[in-house]
Amino acid sequence: MKTIVLGIESTSHTFGVGIAGIIDGKPSILANEKAQYVPEKGGIHPREASLHHMREGPRVLKRALEKAGVKIDDLDAIAVALGPGLGPCLRVGASIARFLSSYYSKPLVPVNHAVAHVEIGKLVNNLSDPLVIYVSGGNTLIAIQRRKRYRVLGETLDIPLGNLLDTFAREVGLAPPYVVKGMHQVDICAEWGSEFIDLPYTIKGNDLSFSGLLTAALREAKKAKNRRELGNVCLSLRETAFNMLVEVSERALALTGKKEVLLTGGVAANEVLNSKLDKMSRLHDAKYYTVPLEYAGDNGAMIAWTGLLAYLHNIFVDPEKAFVRQRWRLDEVDLPWLPED
Ligand code: AMP
Ligand code: MG
């Protein structure tokens, strides 16, 4: 017995195709291929990124099928991330998915990108009910599952954590590239510094605000006269931002009494953040989990796996009605595969 689903990711800078299966009762990721748009300068330009996805899409699709050793005819369904994300980018993935679904007569499964980041983290760590911390270029939130949805306990009120680090690195001339050998430019720069500068630490209830921190850090960076002084700003920015996230995570953990903590999303690749959250979790007798690099950033495997879960619960959409949703929140999605509570 096997069920195999192909998933397409194109919400932002990454075009990814993953293939996930349940074969003789065992879940597995059969392929996870991607191509990433890297702007020459500045941030992500949605139209440029979408052109990249159009150019690379067919090649990535072909590689994924070859890697998994399957043909499109072998698939049970086509899944696609319909949101949240950048309109022009989302539409490339949606168009390819609609075409594959119609042409090959395969059911089309809509997937929420944020739900997929959580589900892949649960799959690779074998978790059933963690406190979720989801931090990426476009999202920063803390969630738990309750009554068959993810419920948001706290989130950023303005810019996401990944965006904070990326914008700072770019504005002070350290990026792009944003990440070198798995390290963010802000971490590399933080190693030049040793002194902590007070920067705005803003928590409102269980929500976070990073925009004042960004403005203040950029102001301090402008004053820096050498690498050591810039290093002090990077160090202080990182520590302030991460400590804010740890504080709201700790409050959510204490409140919910969860025994597992899961960090997911692109920023889950950060060693400093992982170590802080690991320590905090231990203090509350909870076990800490993160996602391996391959599944931390945007990827097709997480869409395929979540699509497979949805497919098994008959969640489909007509290709002609598969519209993209740029602002599709995590907590708007009903998830029948979550356990009863
Ligand atoms: P995503 O949007 O999920 O693809 O994640 C991309 C975000 O993750 C970007 O903001 C990256 O800068 C961030 N990111 C990737 N690797 C690291 C790292 N090692 N430390 C901090 N942020 C990272
Ligand atoms: Mg993402």
Side-chain angles (χ1 to χ4, degrees), residues 117-139:
H117 270 293
V118 181
E119 292 302 339
I120 196 74
K122 281 163 61 186
L123 173 73
V124 298
N125 291 302
N126 195 20
L127 305 177
S128 60
D129 184 21
L131 177 80
V132 174
I133 307 165
Y134 167 33
V135 278
S136 68
N139 289 277

Side-chain angles (χ1 to χ4, degrees), residues 6-166:
L6 178 141
I8 300 178
E9 157 64 34
S10 75
T11 60
S12 177
H13 46 65
T14 301
F15 188 92
V17 176
I19 300 178
I22 294 185
I23 298 161
D24 296 329
K26 260 186 65 186
S28 67
I29 301 297
L30 305 171
N32 188 25
E33 295 296 313
K34 58 180 105 167
Q36 208 161 0
Y37 156 78
V38 183
E40 273 170 35
K41 59 177 178 29
I44 300 175
H45 189 302
R47 192 171 47 86
E48 293 288 320
S50 73
L51 292 174
H52 163 271
H53 296 348
M54 280 182 222
R55 234 179 5 251
E56 296 295 326
R59 272 198 284 268
V60 178
L61 174 64
K62 189 160 176 274
R63 281 210 309 272
L65 290 164
E66 281 168 6
K67 187 84 188 274
V70 298
K71 298 197 171 45
I72 296 185
D73 278 330
D74 303 330
L75 300 169
D76 290 283
I78 307 293
V80 61
L82 288 181
L86 306 169
C89 298
L90 283 167
R91 282 190 279 274
V92 178
S95 303
I96 295 175
R98 282 193 291 255
F99 164 75
L100 292 175
S101 161
S102 314
Y103 189 83
Y104 292 95
S105 302
K106 302 286 175 186
L108 185 60
V109 182
V111 171
N112 176 291
H113 173 91
V115 169
H117 270 293
V118 181
E119 292 302 339
I120 196 74
K122 281 163 61 186
L123 173 73
V124 298
N125 291 302
N126 195 20
L127 305 177
S128 60
D129 184 21
L131 177 80
V132 174
I133 307 165
Y134 167 33
V135 278
S136 68
N139 289 277
T140 297
L141 57 82
I142 317 248
I144 53 163
Q145 52 198 48
R146 195 80 194 274
R147 284 177 281 118
K148 304 214 177 251
R149 277 194 188 190
Y150 289 110
R151 312 282 169 172
V152 176
L153 295 183
E155 63 191 313
T156 178
L157 297 170
D158 39 53
I159 53 174
L161 182 56
N163 191 259
L164 165 77
L165 301 175
D166 295 353

